[in-house]
Amino acid sequence: MRLTTVGTGTAAPSSTRVNAGHLVDVGDVHLLLDCGSGVAHRLASIGADWMRITHVALTHFHADHVLDLPTLLVAWRYGALPPRSAPIEIIGPVGTIKLIEAFAAIFGDPVGRPDFPVEVRELAPEGVLDLGGGVQLESRPVPHTPESIAYCVRGGGRRLVYTGDTGYDEGLARWDAARGCDVLLAECSLPDDMAIASHLTPSRCAQLAAVAEPARLVLTHFYPPVEDVDVRGTITTRYAGPVVLASDGWTIDIEDI
Ligand SMILES: [Zn+2]
Ligand SMILES: [Zn+2]
């Protein structure tokens, strides 16, 4: 299993971080977790094979997590020759079908009826989907927006958990899928002195990691103010494992942990 943090930014425009998007490659499954603005172009700039993506899974419907989905659908039709013919699966919480229909109503056939098969699958708040190739995607509701879910990707004998956007949730920390996972990819939006209920801070990420005890903690989704505090120092007071403050294009072969 390989993780590439494609977009580690937020709603704040940044010269170095585009909106949320993370690529997980397991065998023949190439899964993009979230697809915010800038992700399509970042995939190109880091040399990722954007045509080969097999699944896109959305955590929630905030614009910084979904807006490049139409961009990618259009890219697969018009962005290279020959155009895409392979099917794509778009996965997300309940409401994803409505979101895709809304995009299709605005952008027309290249998004609504592209020339390759599109399957949209909604995942229950606590659901499991088989992605093929021995890869499963499991969901758990998280406190951010009503539809927000976290994901666990299982495959190749490895387990990666992505929080999406979330506030602190003891249930997430104690989620069976998260306990002892190989990588916990967690949002770390704000410094502790700007804490709000719907996002994590370094202290709350530390708490999450202290309970879940992942083999490695990878942090993403940094609003500018959190870049000015000692995130690593706060995390290491409670979590002894390796901590990565991810950047766009950072990649890890999870077999190598
Ligand atoms: Zn976000
Ligand atoms: Zn959000």
Side-chain angles (χ1 to χ4, degrees):
M1 181 184 286
R2 187 172 192 80
L3 165 68
T4 305
T5 53
V6 179
T8 58
T10 61
S14 161
S15 61
T16 55
R17 299 185 190 278
V18 303
N19 287 184
H22 307 287
L23 189 59
V24 180
D25 299 297
V26 198
D28 292 333
V29 171
H30 306 289
L31 165 68
L32 183 65
L33 297 169
D34 283 333
C35 192
S37 181
V39 166
H41 287 73
R42 184 64 87 215
L43 284 164
S45 75
I46 64 176
D49 190 347
W50 49 269
M51 192 60 103
R52 266 203 329 169
I53 291 168
T54 54
H55 302 76
V56 180
L58 307 174
T59 58
H60 65 296
F61 307 140
H62 277 160
D64 59 317
H65 295 251
V66 305
L67 273 187
D68 254 11
L69 189 53
T71 308
L72 216 43
L73 287 162
V74 171
W76 287 327
R77 173 66 183 82
Y78 297 115
L81 287 173
R84 184 184 185 110
S85 57
I88 183 80
E89 269 185 37
I90 300 171
I91 300 157
V94 174
T96 300
I97 291 171
K98 213 169 136 191
L99 176 81
I100 303 301
E101 285 172 356
F103 280 148
I106 296 165
F107 298 118
D109 283 353
V111 169
R113 289 152 43 103
D115 297 336
F116 45 89
V118 178
E119 188 176 359
V120 183
R121 297 168 85 183
E122 293 188 339
L123 196 49
E126 291 180 66
V128 183
L129 277 186
D130 193 343
L131 305 188
V135 181
Q136 280 91 38
L137 188 66
E138 189 175 346
S139 60
R140 186 198 152 77
V142 289
H144 180 65
T145 58
E147 79 282 4
S148 290
I149 51 179
Y151 286 120
C152 174
V153 187
R154 294 175 197 266
R158 300 289 168 184
R159 197 158 30 108
L160 176 145
V161 169
Y162 171 44
T163 65
D165 284 2
T166 185
Y168 183 75
D169 179 38
E170 193 69 19
L172 174 63
R174 297 188 182 281
W175 187 26
D176 283 349
R179 298 293 293 271
C181 64
D182 295 285
V183 171
L184 175 58
L185 174 61
E187 72 119 294
C188 186
S189 289
L190 297 166
D192 285 293
D193 62 3
M194 294 176 71
I196 56 175
S198 57
H199 280 296
L200 294 174
T201 65
S203 288
R204 287 170 179 176
C205 289
Q207 198 176 346
L208 196 62
V211 177
E213 296 185 314
R216 182 177 298 250
L217 177 64
V218 178
L219 300 177
T220 184
H221 206 270
F222 303 107
Y223 274 93
V226 82
E227 311 251 24
D228 296 331
V229 302
D230 182 10
V231 174
R232 186 182 301 279
T234 302
I235 300 289
T236 53
T237 58
R238 302 207 48 197
Y239 171 70
V243 182
V244 173
L245 277 62
S247 53
D248 286 18
W250 177 81
T251 190
I252 184 172
D253 195 336
I254 296 174
E255 272 76 11
D256 292 344
I257 288 177

